[in-house]
Amino acid sequence: MQGVDPVRDVDPAWLPDEAFRPIGTRRTLIRGAGPLVDTVHGEVAGACERFGGRVERDAAPGPFDLVLELAGEDSPEAFTCERNGGCTTVTASGQRGLLYGLFHVVRLGESAFLGQRQRERHAPALDLRMLDHWDNVAVHPVMGQVERGYAGGSLFWEDGRARGELLGRVRAYGRLLAACGINAVTVNNVNVHKTEAHLLTDRIDEVADISRELGRYGIRTHLSVTFAAPMVLGGLPTADPLDEAVQAWWSEATSRVYEAIPGFGGYVVKADSEGQPGPFAYGRSHADGANLLAGALTPYNGTVHWRAFVYDHRQDWRDRTTDRARAAYDHFVPLDGQFAPNVILQVKHGPMDFQVREPVSPLIGAMPRTRLAVETQATQEYTGQQRHVCWLGPMWSEVLRFRPEEGAPVGELARGGLVAVSNVGDDPFWTGHPLAQANLYTFGRLAWQPDANPYRLLDEWIRLTFTPRRSEESARLEAGVYAVLAHSWRTYEKYTAPLGVGWMVQPDHHYGPSVDGYEYSPWGTYHFADRDGIGVDRSVATGTGYAGQYAKPWAEVYESPTTCPDELLLFFHHVSYDHVLRSGKTVIQHMYDTHFEGVEEVEAAQRVWQGLSDLVDPARHARVAERFEEQLRSAREWRDQINSYFFRKSGVADAHGRRIY
Amino acid sequence: MQGVDPVRDVDPAWLPDEAFRPIGTRRTLIRGAGPLVDTVHGEVAGACERFGGRVERDAAPGPFDLVLELAGEDSPEAFTCERNGGCTTVTASGQRGLLYGLFHVVRLGESAFLGQRQRERHAPALDLRMLDHWDNVAVHPVMGQVERGYAGGSLFWEDGRARGELLGRVRAYGRLLAACGINAVTVNNVNVHKTEAHLLTDRIDEVADISRELGRYGIRTHLSVTFAAPMVLGGLPTADPLDEAVQAWWSEATSRVYEAIPGFGGYVVKADSEGQPGPFAYGRSHADGANLLAGALTPYNGTVHWRAFVYDHRQDWRDRTTDRARAAYDHFVPLDGQFAPNVILQVKHGPMDFQVREPVSPLIGAMPRTRLAVETQATQEYTGQQRHVCWLGPMWSEVLRFRPEEGAPVGELARGGLVAVSNVGDDPFWTGHPLAQANLYTFGRLAWQPDANPYRLLDEWIRLTFTPRRSEESARLEAGVYAVLAHSWRTYEKYTAPLGVGWMVQPDHHYGPSVDGYEYSPWGTYHFADRDGIGVDRSVATGTGYAGQYAKPWAEVYESPTTCPDELLLFFHHVSYDHVLRSGKTVIQHMYDTHFEGVEEVEAAQRVWQGLSDLVDPARHARVAERFEEQLRSAREWRDQINSYFFRKSGVADAHGRRIY
C-alpha cells in the first residue's frame, strides 16, 4: 500500500495485504467526491494494484462487482450494504459512512461477493468512539514517555516534538482505527505536565500535523488540557471558571486551536484528581469548571470530556468509613442537569480503577440529564501490562450489557460515547504483545455495537490478522489463537486478586503481586485481610453504604453476601475464610483452587501457542512466545505469593495438599 | 577563616569560629615545615585574626601559650600533648600528627590552657579511617545523584563535572573530616556506571582537582572502579584477572593515575555483587580479582578495598535453605591467606545490609590472614534517611567492642580500617538533618579510637557544635541536644522492625514501613511471619546453619532461643507470638509496647527540641523542627502499620487495650 503505510517494518495487524485480496481481484466503482472518498479510492486502488483488479470513479462503464457510493440521506457514519445481480453495493450519505462501508466489505472477505445479500443498514450505536493516549511529549524519568504504556515510546511524539517523517505511521494507525470503527483520538496524557501544556497554544501546529494524518481516515483529534492553562500559559493570576478574564482567555485560545485544526474534537480534562488543578481551588463546582471550557468550544461544536475520576488520594488507611468507591457518585450525582450540552462526563466503568474485576460504576444510569462517556483501559495497566495475554472483550461486554435498573444497558446509557486508554506505542507490533491488538480491535468494534457478542469479534480479528499460507490450515490456526485468547481474562483473574477485591499489585508500577502493596496506603485500596477473613464491607447495613448507590435490583443484590455474585463478593463484603460461596466452595479453597488453575491455564495456553509455530509469522510467534515465558513466571509468582500469604494468615490447609510456601 | 571556607552560607558544623577562641586569644609558636604545617599555621593565624592572638613560626622570641612542633620519631599520625609552666606543647613527628594535635587542642577548648597537663600520647588505633561517597557524576533518573544520599546532590560533582568554584567547599569538608580524624575519602559510587568509569582514565584530572583540596587536610583520595574497566575503557575483549593484557592494562592505567595524583590511596571495588561485573565471569576467585588490582597498585603503596558484599540477589523466596546472611562468610573464608598484602577486604558490619539491628558479621575474626576493613553506613539508608533523628554511635560502638571469640574486639580486628558510607551532600547543613552531623563526627572519632565511649563523643560534638550566646545557657542547651540524640537509635529501633528481624521497609527507596515489602522478593530478606509466629531460623540444629558460622561462645549463644539476646531473637529464630522474652514479655506484646513507646519517645524528643528554640540558631532549629514533623508522622505510620499487621495476623489483643487498626 504505497503512500499509505510508509513504515514497512510495522506489523500489519488486522489489515494485512491479504485481507484486501477479495476486493483487489475485482472490479469496483466508486461514486462521490471528497477527501475520505479519495481515501476509499486509494485503498481499493492499492488492493487492485497488488491483486490485479480494477477500480473506476463515478460514471465509468460496467459491469462492476462492487459499488461504493455516496447517496441518499442518513446519519454521517451509517452505510447500507446489499448484493443483487452479482454486484455488491455499499451506500452512505456521508464520507465516513462510505469508509466504514469499505472496511465492512474487507471484513466480509470473499463472502461479500457470493450469492445474494439482503440490504442491511449499519450505523454506530455510539457517536463517539475514542482512544485516549496517555502520551507525554517529554520522557518522564520514572514513568517513561507513555504513562501506563507497555508498547514502547509514543506513536505521536519523539525527541520532544511531533513525529516528523514518521507521521506516515500515524496515518497507518488512523487506518487501523478506522477499520475497527474508532473515530476520535486524544493525543496527550490527561496528566498534563509542563511541556505538554503548551500543545494548546504555541505548539498547536504539532497537534495539527498529527490531526491531518489521522483525519485522512476520519479520526478527530482531541487534546488534554490543564485546567490551570490560563495561569500556566496565559499568565493570569487565576484559573477561576467564573472569572471573565479566564473565560476570555479560553475563548481566545480555543479560537486559535480551531484556526489551526478546523475539525478539532475538543478538550479532555482531569481536574481536581490526583494532584491535577481544578475548580475546587476557587470554591467552584465541577459543573462550573466543565462549563467554562464548554462555553469556549460551543461556537465550533467541540466537546469537553470531563473526567469523573475524582477521589481523595490522600486517605488515611485507618479510617474505614471513607470509601473511594463512593467518590465519583458522591461528587457528581448532585451536579446532574448542571452541565452544558457539549460537556461529556467521562466515567471509568468501575468505581475504582480498572481492576481485573469491578462492579459497574453506580454513576452510570444515575445522571439522566448528563451525557456520560464510559472509560475503559485497552492498555493493560492492572491486567498484565501486555506481557500477559489478557483479552478484555468479555469484561467490556459484561459492562456494556449491564442494566443499572430495568431498562437500558450501559451500552445505551453511554450517550457520550465509549473511550479507551490506548494500548499502542511505537512498538513494531503496535501493542508490545502482538495478541494485545485484539483488545484494541475489540474495543473499537464494541464501541460501534455495544451489544455485539465479543467472541464473534474475536473471531473476526483472528481471521483478519492471521492469514495462513495454505487455506486448509486456517481452521487449526484460528482455533489455536482463539483458544489462547478467549478465556484469557478469566485466567488472569484466577491467578491474581481474588473475588473482586483487587489491588494486590506492587505499588507505583502495578506489575506483579504484592498482597499488602496497597493495604496501608493513602490510595483507598484495601482488602482488610486478617487471620479470620477478608473483604471490604460496602453494605448499607454495616459498611460504607456504597451498595446503596445502586438502583434496584442491584442495591439489594449487592447488599447481602448471600445474593452478591461470587466474583464480586470481596468487593462488597468482609467474610470469613470459611464462608461458602454459591459455587459450594469456601472462600479460601476457592482462592487456592483458582490460583492453581490459573497457572495451569497459562501453561496450557503456552502449549497451544507453541503448537502454532509452523503457522504464524516467525517474528510474531517469537514475540508472543517470549511474553508467554514471562507470563508463566509471573503467574507462578502470583499463585505462590497469594496462596502463601493467605495460608500463613488463615492457617487453613489446601484441601488437595498442593504445595504452598 | 578567609581562604579556608569560601562557601560562607554553609553550616560550620563542629568547627564554628567560636571553637577557635581559646587558641585565637593566645600566643602560639609553630615549629616545622611542610604543606600540612602551613595548614596548621593558617588555622591558627585565622583564629588569631578573629580573636586578637598571635602566631609565630620557628625560632621566634617567646613566651608562648601553645607550641605546635614537628619533632622526634613516632608514627606519622601520632602526637603528644602536655602542659608545663604555662605552655601547652603538641609534638608530632609527622605533619598529619601535628594537624590532629591542633584539632585536639581545639576540642580541649579553654581547658587546654589551664593548669598542668601530663604528657599524653594520642595515635589512631586504625590506620585507615575512610568515607565512601556513593556519589555519581551523572544524575540517575530514579536514585538521584547520590545513591542512598539524603543531603542533596553530590559535594564533589556538579553538572557532570568535578565542582569548579565550589572546590573550596570540598576543602572545607576535608577540614571537618580532619577535625574528627578521618584520613581517606572515596569520591564516587561503588556502583560504577558508564560515565563514572571514565574517572579512572580520561577524567582522572577531575579526581586530581578534588584530591588536591582534600589533601590540604591530609585526606587521601580513593576511587571506585569497575572490574570491567579493561573492556569498558581499554577496549580489551576480556577482564580476566589472569590475562596478561588485562594485567598490563591495569598497570598502565594505575601508573597514569599516580602521575596525576601522587598521593592517591587506591581502588574500591564492588565485584560480582548486585549486578556489578567481577572475576566469577572468568571462573576466577575473588582473590584472583583483588590481587590483579593489588599488583597494579603495589609499586605505589596503594591499596585495594575489595568489598565482601557478595550474595545471590535473585534468590527464590520459596527456598528457605538459602540464607543471604551466610553469603559473605561462605564466599570469603575459604580465601583467607590468598589475598595480596595490599588488599583490604571490606566487610559490612552485619551479615545483611545496615539494618537497624544485626548481629556482627561472622566473617570478622574468621580470616586471620586477611586485612579486614569494617564498613558501616553513616548515611541513614535504613535508619530514617536523615529525616529521622537516629544517632548511630551506640550501634557502631557495640559492633566495635564485640569480641568474636575470647580475645580482640572488632575494633582491633579491623586492621584494614573502618569505613563509612558518607551521609554528606551539597546541603547547607552538610547532612540534610543537622543532627545527622553527629553520626559523621562520631564515626570519625570511633575510627580513631574504637573503644571510646560513644556518649562522650556525643558530648564532644555537642559542645563544639552548639555554642550558646551566653555561657550560662550551655548546660541547658547541651542537656537538651543530648536528650534528643543519645537514645535516638533505640527509639528508631522501637518503632520499626522488631527484635532484629529487619527489612520491613518499602521496596526500592527503603523509606517508611511495608511489613511484607521484602517478604516475597528475590533479595533474601524475609521474616516468615504467619498467624502463629515470626522470625528466621538460622540455628544449626533446625535452620540455615548461619549461627554455626560464629566461633564460641557466640555459636552457642545464638543457637538457642533461650540464650539468644532478645534484640536479635527474630534474626536467629522463628518463634511463636506468645514466646516469652528474657524481658518477661511475649514477643507480640513486646512489639506492641515498643511501637507505642517509640512514638512517645519521638514526641518527647520533639518537645525537648521545641524547648531549645531560644538557644539554637534559627535556621538550624527550623530545619530540625521540620524534620521532626516528618519523623513523627512516619513513626506513627510505622507504629500503626506494624501493630495492625501483627494484630490482624496473630489475633492477639494488646494487653493495654490501646488503639490498633
Side-chain angles (χ1 to χ4, degrees), chain A residues 381-603:
Chain A
E381 177 174 358
Y382 295 97
T383 51
Q385 302 198 348
Q386 283 139 258
R387 291 187 254 183
H388 297 225
V389 183
C390 186
W391 175 59
L392 296 165
M395 179 173 86
W396 294 331
S397 178
E398 282 187 18
V399 169
L400 293 167
R401 290 192 279 189
F402 179 83
R403 291 174 197 273
E405 45 194 328
E406 316 298 330
V410 169
E412 284 177 33
L413 294 167
R415 290 181 293 121
L418 197 60
V419 179
V421 183
S422 170
N423 61 351
V424 166
D426 66 2
D427 176 74
F429 291 99
W430 300 95
T431 50
H433 199 310
L435 300 182
Q437 292 173 5
N439 282 326
L440 190 59
Y441 184 87
T442 305
F443 167 77
R445 299 284 289 132
L446 281 174
W448 181 282
Q449 187 192 348
D451 63 357
N453 178 339
Y455 298 96
R456 300 289 295 273
L457 301 178
L458 177 60
D459 274 331
E460 207 176 88
W461 175 77
I462 293 171
R463 268 201 316 278
L464 286 166
T465 304
F466 291 86
T467 44
R469 275 156 307 175
R470 293 175 301 167
S471 61
E472 63 270 28
E473 295 171 337
S474 65
R476 178 160 71 91
L477 177 56
E478 288 167 18
V481 179
Y482 185 90
V484 164
L485 280 160
H487 305 294
S488 57
W489 166 55
R490 285 180 197 277
T491 296
Y492 187 84
E493 183 182 29
K494 280 184 177 182
Y495 62 77
T496 56
L499 296 166
V501 76
W503 293 110
M504 292 176 174
V505 292
Q506 297 213 20
D508 304 329
H509 58 67
H510 300 165
Y511 186 76
S514 175
V515 178
D516 277 358
Y518 277 95
E519 185 60 13
Y520 302 95
S521 82
W523 296 94
T525 48
Y526 316 117
H527 55 63
F528 299 127
D530 60 22
R531 71 197 323 252
D532 302 315
I534 178 175
V536 188
D537 185 352
R538 291 189 163 106
S539 71
V540 174
T542 56
T544 68
Y546 168 79
Q549 291 186 337
Y550 287 88
K552 284 182 186 173
W554 296 107
E556 287 167 4
V557 167
Y558 293 145
E559 176 69 14
S560 161
T562 61
T563 52
C564 183
D566 280 354
E567 68 271 15
L568 290 171
L569 183 67
L570 302 184
F571 191 92
F572 283 101
H573 298 282
H574 188 94
V575 300
S576 67
Y577 293 117
D578 59 8
H579 174 92
V580 177
L581 296 168
R582 290 145 155 265
S583 69
K585 284 183 184 173
T586 61
V587 164
I588 188 79
Q589 192 58 44
H590 170 92
M591 285 192 200
Y592 296 151
D593 289 349
T594 50
H595 283 78
F596 284 109
E597 286 163 21
V599 172
E600 287 159 14
E601 289 170 15
V602 175
E603 289 165 343

Side-chain angles (χ1 to χ4, degrees), chain A residues 141-142 316-320 506-509 514-517 519-521 527-532 633 636-641 644-652 659 661, chain B residues 141-142 316-320 506-509 514-517 519-521 527-532 633 636-641 644-652 659 661:
Chain A
V142 178
D316 188 340
W317 59 268
R318 301 165 187 83
D319 165 23
R320 295 205 187 189
Q506 297 213 20
D508 304 329
H509 58 67
S514 175
V515 178
D516 277 358
E519 185 60 13
Y520 302 95
S521 82
H527 55 63
F528 299 127
D530 60 22
R531 71 197 323 252
D532 302 315
R633 184 206 63 76
R636 288 175 176 156
E637 200 61 37
W638 274 98
R639 174 194 66 194
D640 292 340
Q641 286 199 31
S644 297
Y645 180 100
F646 287 102
F647 171 66
R648 291 184 192 180
K649 210 152 197 167
S650 72
V652 179
R659 186 73 190 267
Y661 298 88
Chain B
V142 178
D316 188 339
W317 58 267
R318 301 165 188 83
D319 166 22
R320 294 205 188 189
Q506 297 213 20
D508 304 329
H509 59 65
S514 176
V515 178
D516 277 358
E519 185 60 14
Y520 301 95
S521 83
H527 56 63
F528 299 127
D530 60 22
R531 72 198 321 254
D532 303 314
R633 184 205 65 73
R636 287 173 176 155
E637 200 61 37
W638 274 99
R639 174 194 66 195
D640 291 341
Q641 286 200 30
S644 297
Y645 180 100
F646 286 102
F647 172 66
R648 291 184 192 180
K649 210 151 196 168
S650 71
V652 180
R659 186 72 189 268
Y661 298 88

Side-chain angles (χ1 to χ4, degrees), chain A residues 94-434:
Chain A
Q95 294 184 63
R96 283 200 204 176
L98 199 68
L99 183 66
Y100 295 134
L102 166 71
F103 286 120
H104 177 73
V105 175
V106 172
R107 279 196 297 272
L108 290 175
E110 274 301 323
S111 75
F113 301 100
L114 301 177
Q116 298 290 102
R117 187 171 278 272
Q118 289 275 313
R119 186 165 183 274
E120 273 179 0
R121 178 174 177 272
H122 297 266
L126 303 174
D127 286 344
L128 191 123
R129 307 173 301 279
M130 185 172 191
L131 287 175
D132 281 359
H133 278 255
W134 287 355
D135 294 16
N136 299 314
V137 177
V139 178
H140 189 278
V142 178
M143 288 283 188
Q145 188 177 18
V146 181
E147 184 169 331
R148 310 310 179 186
Y150 314 103
S154 170
L155 198 62
F156 299 133
W157 312 99
E158 190 178 37
D159 299 332
R161 308 283 305 167
R163 281 168 179 269
E165 307 91 78
L166 290 179
L167 279 173
R169 176 119 195 234
V170 174
R171 196 191 308 179
Y173 180 53
R175 180 175 178 250
L176 285 173
L177 298 189
C180 66
I182 288 162
N183 68 356
V185 162
T186 305
V187 297
N188 65 311
N189 191 358
V190 289
N191 290 318
V192 180
H193 305 295
K194 201 172 160 192
T195 302
E196 292 75 14
H198 287 266
L199 296 176
L200 174 62
T201 52
D202 46 307
R203 299 186 63 171
I204 192 68
D205 286 349
E206 295 174 65
V207 181
D209 287 345
I210 294 168
S211 175
R212 202 170 303 116
E213 297 303 322
L214 293 173
R216 291 179 205 270
Y217 282 91
I219 314 283
R220 269 189 194 212
T221 296
H222 296 241
L223 194 64
S224 293
V225 297
T226 170
F227 193 77
M231 300 166 74
V232 175
L233 302 170
L236 298 188
T238 177
D240 183 346
L242 302 194
D243 182 283
E244 286 185 11
V246 169
Q247 293 165 356
W249 187 89
W250 278 108
S251 288
E252 173 66 17
T254 303
S255 82
R256 291 184 189 283
V257 168
Y258 278 90
E259 272 170 35
I261 311 171
F264 182 71
Y267 300 138
V268 177
V269 189
K270 176 178 181 178
D272 290 320
S273 171
E274 299 183 331
Q276 293 290 310
F280 285 165
Y282 311 99
R284 311 302 183 190
S285 77
H286 275 247
D288 294 330
N291 293 345
L292 162 71
L293 303 192
L297 288 159
T298 295
Y300 317 98
N301 292 315
T303 54
V304 182
H305 284 80
W306 190 266
R307 291 178 87 234
F309 187 53
V310 177
Y311 70 98
D312 178 3
H313 69 287
R314 293 190 181 147
Q315 188 180 326
D316 188 340
W317 59 268
R318 301 165 187 83
D319 165 23
R320 295 205 187 189
T321 62
T322 302
D323 182 359
R324 169 171 167 179
R326 294 185 57 115
Y329 185 102
D330 287 342
H331 277 294
F332 286 95
V333 167
L335 302 177
D336 190 30
Q338 298 180 27
F339 289 99
N342 58 333
V343 171
I344 292 174
L345 190 65
Q346 188 164 316
V347 183
K348 294 197 181 195
H349 67 78
M352 297 296 278
D353 193 21
F354 303 131
Q355 301 304 292
V356 69
R357 177 74 73 168
E358 294 187 33
V360 171
S361 170
L363 196 56
I364 304 170
M367 297 184 69
R369 290 174 295 162
T370 305
R371 281 169 78 192
L372 294 190
V374 173
E375 181 179 311
T376 63
Q377 239 187 3
T379 194
Q380 293 169 232
E381 177 174 358
Y382 295 97
T383 51
Q385 302 198 348
Q386 283 139 258
R387 291 187 254 183
H388 297 225
V389 183
C390 186
W391 175 59
L392 296 165
M395 179 173 86
W396 294 331
S397 178
E398 282 187 18
V399 169
L400 293 167
R401 290 192 279 189
F402 179 83
R403 291 174 197 273
E405 45 194 328
E406 316 298 330
V410 169
E412 284 177 33
L413 294 167
R415 290 181 293 121
L418 197 60
V419 179
V421 183
S422 170
N423 61 351
V424 166
D426 66 2
D427 176 74
F429 291 99
W430 300 95
T431 50
H433 199 310

